[in-house]
Amino acid sequence: MDIGTISIRYAKALLKYAIDGHVEDKVYEDMKMLASVYLHAPELRYMTENPLLSDEARMEVLCKACGDDVSQATKNFFSLVIKKRRTEFIQFLANAYISLYLKEKKVVKSHLTVPVSVDDATITRMKDIIGHYVGSKECEQVDMDVEVDPSIVGGFILDFGTYRLDASINRQIDNIKKNLLRTADNA
């Protein structure tokens, strides 16, 4: 079996278990924290995969990685993963759960990069555009992170799902440069 298949199977089982227990939101928060810790502290992988570490120690490390208030459903899930010797997949399991949860709740994650702070009306308009583009069957809510990055000079970059709309001044300048170089090469 490959990582994707294993991750999806375990994540689907966890989501069903969490929904049945009405704790899917808390498990989502646990998995977001775990995924973030794996991203920012890669040594966590070495700790959880260390063959010298006991199962109890693995459980403690994983629970600490999720923060102070870990749900019982998450603890039960970690126990299963440790018992089945699948800890090397835990980062992928967490990310798979996050994706399945967002799909189940019809939430579209997005990221808006702008050169200066924008008002709430602009953010709402961007969310409406995404909601319209994705469609109401797949999107009931748009969760948007906004990043201020003066290096893009002007315009914006909007990422959601597998899409990117780059309307930044930097991108337009790059396009003009490419066109000028292409024109100069053909002359």
Side-chain angles (χ1 to χ4, degrees), residues 3-177:
I3 293 172
T5 303
I6 292 169
S7 300
I8 294 296
R9 284 184 182 170
Y10 275 79
K12 280 182 179 178
L14 176 58
L15 182 61
K16 182 169 178 8
Y17 176 67
I19 288 172
D20 289 348
H22 306 289
V23 292
E24 68 272 16
D25 298 335
K26 176 60 181 132
V27 173
Y28 171 69
E29 293 302 321
D30 293 344
M31 292 298 120
K32 272 191 356 183
M33 177 66 82
L34 183 64
S36 176
V37 171
Y38 263 102
L39 187 63
H40 295 96
E43 59 272 6
L44 179 61
R45 165 168 280 151
Y46 301 116
M47 291 177 68
T48 58
E49 293 179 16
N50 184 343
L52 301 175
L53 204 61
S54 69
D55 288 350
E56 294 80 20
R58 277 189 184 87
M59 177 68 119
E60 186 176 332
V61 167
L62 289 170
C63 287
K64 283 192 187 280
C66 289
D68 294 329
D69 185 31
V70 181
S71 72
Q72 188 59 48
T74 299
K75 289 179 184 178
N76 293 346
F77 179 68
F78 288 159
S79 180
L80 174 69
V81 170
I82 291 167
K83 180 181 173 191
K84 295 291 186 178
R85 303 284 179 226
R86 300 288 195 191
T87 53
E88 72 268 18
F89 301 118
I90 198 80
Q91 178 181 12
F92 303 104
L93 302 176
N95 286 321
Y97 180 87
I98 291 166
S99 294
L100 291 172
Y101 172 88
L102 293 172
K103 186 173 182 178
E104 176 72 22
K105 297 291 184 173
K106 297 183 180 182
V107 175
V108 174
K109 297 285 282 178
S110 62
H111 185 85
L112 176 64
T113 306
V114 291
V116 295
S117 247
V118 293
D119 60 0
D120 290 339
T122 302
I123 293 170
T124 300
R125 179 69 182 127
M126 291 295 201
K127 287 180 178 182
D128 290 345
I129 290 169
I130 293 169
H132 179 73
Y133 187 80
V134 173
S136 61
K137 288 184 180 179
E138 295 178 25
C139 176
E140 291 179 0
Q141 177 186 348
V142 176
D143 184 12
M144 181 176 287
D145 297 323
V146 180
E147 174 188 3
V148 175
D149 180 4
S151 71
I152 69 168
V153 181
F156 64 90
I157 301 171
L158 180 62
D159 296 300
F160 64 97
T162 58
Y163 301 101
R164 171 171 263 208
L165 175 58
D166 188 342
S168 66
I169 297 295
N170 281 354
R171 176 64 152 181
Q172 293 174 19
I173 290 170
D174 286 343
N175 287 342
I176 291 169
K177 283 180 188 177

